[in-house]
Amino acid sequence: MPKLDRLARSVPDAREIGDSLVARGIRLSLGGSIYDPADPMGKIFFNILATFAEFEVDLLRMRTREGMAVARAKGKLKGKQPKLNARQQAHLLKERATGDYTIADLAEQYYVSRATIYRVLERARGAA
C-alpha cells in the first residue's frame, strides 16, 4: 500500500487533488473511515497530510544542503571530473584553431562526445 503522505507534495497540490476528487464524487476509505474531501473534516485531513509532506520535503532539502556544505568545507565535494585534462584541452584548442579538424574529428580522436568538445570550446571562449 502506498504511503498516504505521498498523496501530495504541498498544500496547494493537495487542494488541487481534493478539488479533483470532489468534482468526480470520490471519497477515500482509510482504515474503515470514509474521508470526503467535500466536507470540512475531509478538507482538514488533506491539508494536514499535505502540511506534513511539505515539511518532510523541506527538511530533506535542508539536510541535503547542510551535508553538501560540510562536504564542501572538508574539500570532498568537488563535482564531476572533466573528461579531458588541461593538457588535452589545450591541445584540442590548438588543433581546432588550425581549421583542419571538425568537431566530429576531435570527438573521435579524444574518445568523447561532440557535446564535450563544444563545452571545452565554450569554456575557452569564456576565459578569453
Side-chain angles (χ1 to χ4, degrees), residues 4 8 12 14 16 24 28 30 43 52 55 58 63 71 88 93 108 113 119 128:
L4 196 55
E16 185 178 316
R24 294 185 288 168
L28 293 177
L30 303 167
K43 284 181 184 178
F52 279 108
F55 169 72
D58 290 343
R63 288 180 180 159
Q88 289 173 316
L93 293 170
E108 187 177 326
S113 69
R119 270 193 300 274

Side-chain angles (χ1 to χ4, degrees), residues 82-84 92 112-121 123:
K83 301 248 182 196
L84 302 174
L92 181 146
V112 295
S113 69
R114 289 179 301 159
T116 299
I117 302 297
Y118 283 117
R119 270 193 300 274
V120 170
L121 296 173
R123 282 190 200 120

Side-chain angles (χ1 to χ4, degrees), residues 95-96 99-109 114 117:
E95 288 180 334
R96 179 66 178 160
D100 295 337
Y101 297 92
T102 66
I103 298 295
D105 293 337
L106 292 169
E108 187 177 326
Q109 180 178 343
R114 289 179 301 159
I117 302 297

